[in-house]
Amino acid sequence: MSVRTVVTVVGSFAVGMTIRAPRFPVKGETLPGSDFDMGPGGKGSNQAVGAARLGAKSGLVAKVGEDRLGDMALELYRSEGVDATFVTRTGEHRTGAGVITLNAEGDNHIVVDLGANRSLAPEDVDRAEGLIRRSDAVLAVLEIPIATAARAMELARRHGAVAILNPAPAQALPDPVLRDVDVLSPNDGELRILSGLSPDDRTDTLTLARRLQARGARSVVVTRGARGALAVGDAGAVTEIPATSVDVVDTTGAGDAFNCALAVALGEGRSLEEAARFAACAGALACTKLGVIPSLPTREVVEALLLYGPDPGRPATGA
């Protein structure tokens, strides 16, 4: 790229702490565990790092605590080249954190304290309006207050950036929020929750995407795991994006890799179909390594997969 695409992410940071145990403890029981791991996460943070690795000039609007976990966030952004000018620190809340217990079967129990993420306010987005004005794409998630994500979409539209909302974790959204969204990017379960249904409802995906368009979202891109993605454009075009075959190690980072790649590609001016294909390759590559940050791919490997395709005989996967 001769001119770097500018992508601003408005979202969350949290540290994940994982420990393995032979089984889940019962009330009052202490179990010996193993393989403790602690690392940076949060959908907004992951997506900002992913956009930087894809060659974008990436900036993050987020909030962390004045604690060691907040230090971890800022060190990550320094090492990955993410503009953290608008990552603010607060002494009123601790940095977001999640505690994950994995049993021998790979099932998990997760407790999350969003912490400082809850205090990221529309006013914090307003302070970053100059960055948004220079952005080609603005991406927001829902691990922050809805009003804050909505403000990001509003300012993106005002300044001509592509406004992308990754509605995760899914929750009911008012129509005025959707009317400021250029591209809504839920997974299959999130699409159903946005539609007021259970995550496993059997209503046709295209039907539900069309309903969200009728409520205001201009385009909808639905990620469907091993079934690929469905891109529904504002002019009515529908494109099935097949899943890419890779050696699957860990699917945890696939959604974040998909969304940041979608934002980068749309910010570069690619069509919705082209951007979704690029994003599908990024999401697939994120399944080939353990952990989210280690799995976020560089532009070179995404372009290579897009151009040359996967090796034959591998199972298909996606975001």
Side-chain angles (χ1 to χ4, degrees):
M1 295 175 291
S2 57
V3 178
R4 293 176 69 190
T5 299
V6 180
V7 174
T8 296
V9 182
V10 179
S12 51
F13 173 82
V15 171
M17 291 168 277
T18 303
I19 192 165
R20 293 185 180 276
R23 57 179 173 79
F24 296 126
V26 299
K27 182 179 179 180
E29 182 184 18
T30 299
L31 283 177
S34 63
D35 301 322
F36 175 77
D37 181 66
M38 181 171 72
K43 298 191 73 61
S45 178
N46 295 340
Q47 292 174 16
V49 170
R53 288 192 186 171
L54 292 170
K57 188 174 182 181
S58 174
L60 177 64
V61 181
K63 190 166 286 190
V64 298
E66 294 177 348
D67 50 34
R68 292 183 179 180
L69 300 188
D71 294 342
M72 184 186 296
L74 297 180
E75 176 55 36
L76 173 69
Y77 306 141
R78 280 192 292 269
S79 65
E80 294 287 347
V82 173
D83 182 355
T85 302
F86 297 101
V87 177
T88 56
R89 306 193 76 163
T90 174
E92 297 181 6
H93 305 278
R94 290 192 175 275
T95 301
V99 179
I100 305 103
T101 303
L102 298 173
N103 69 9
E105 288 73 38
D107 299 319
N108 60 60
H109 280 176
I110 303 174
V111 180
V112 177
D113 178 3
L114 290 174
N117 295 299
R118 292 194 184 96
S119 65
L120 188 68
E123 293 76 19
D124 294 305
V125 181
D126 290 340
R127 282 189 281 272
E129 185 168 1
L131 176 60
I132 291 172
R133 184 183 296 113
R134 300 190 299 273
S135 297
D136 299 294
V138 175
L139 174 60
V141 301
L142 294 183
E143 289 178 337
I144 57 176
I146 289 176
T148 307
R151 184 62 171 161
M153 297 293 92
E154 179 185 349
L155 290 183
R157 290 280 299 165
R158 176 185 299 177
H159 294 296
V162 182
I164 306 160
L165 180 61
N166 176 212
Q171 51 195 294
L173 293 175
D175 289 0
V177 174
L178 292 175
R179 285 196 286 270
D180 280 326
V181 175
D182 289 313
V183 181
L184 189 69
S185 60
N187 64 25
D188 250 336
E190 291 159 354
L191 175 70
R192 282 151 180 77
I193 293 171
L194 290 171
S195 303
L197 304 170
S198 65
D200 58 353
D201 185 271
R202 298 176 67 107
T203 304
D204 177 66
T205 294
L206 179 58
T207 297
L208 296 179
R210 294 284 197 209
R211 289 178 187 174
L212 288 171
Q213 286 182 305
R215 291 175 53 198
R218 288 162 186 78
S219 299
V220 180
V221 178
V222 185
T223 58
R224 303 187 294 174
R227 292 182 295 130
L230 182 73
V232 187
D234 57 0
V238 178
T239 305
E240 294 265 3
I241 310 295
T244 302
S245 298
V246 294
D247 293 324
V248 179
V249 175
D250 179 7
T251 63
T252 308
D256 289 337
F258 183 98
N259 277 279
C260 66
L262 185 71
V264 170
L266 289 171
E268 292 173 357
R270 301 194 194 195
S271 70
L272 186 68
E273 178 183 346
E274 291 171 330
R277 293 187 187 280
F278 181 79
C281 288
L285 286 164
C287 297
T288 64
K289 294 182 180 179
L290 186 64
V292 177
I293 295 298
S295 75
L296 295 170
T298 63
R299 187 179 192 93
E300 291 74 17
V301 294
V302 176
E303 293 283 12
L305 181 60
L306 187 65
L307 182 61
Y308 299 111
D311 291 338
R314 289 175 173 169
T317 191

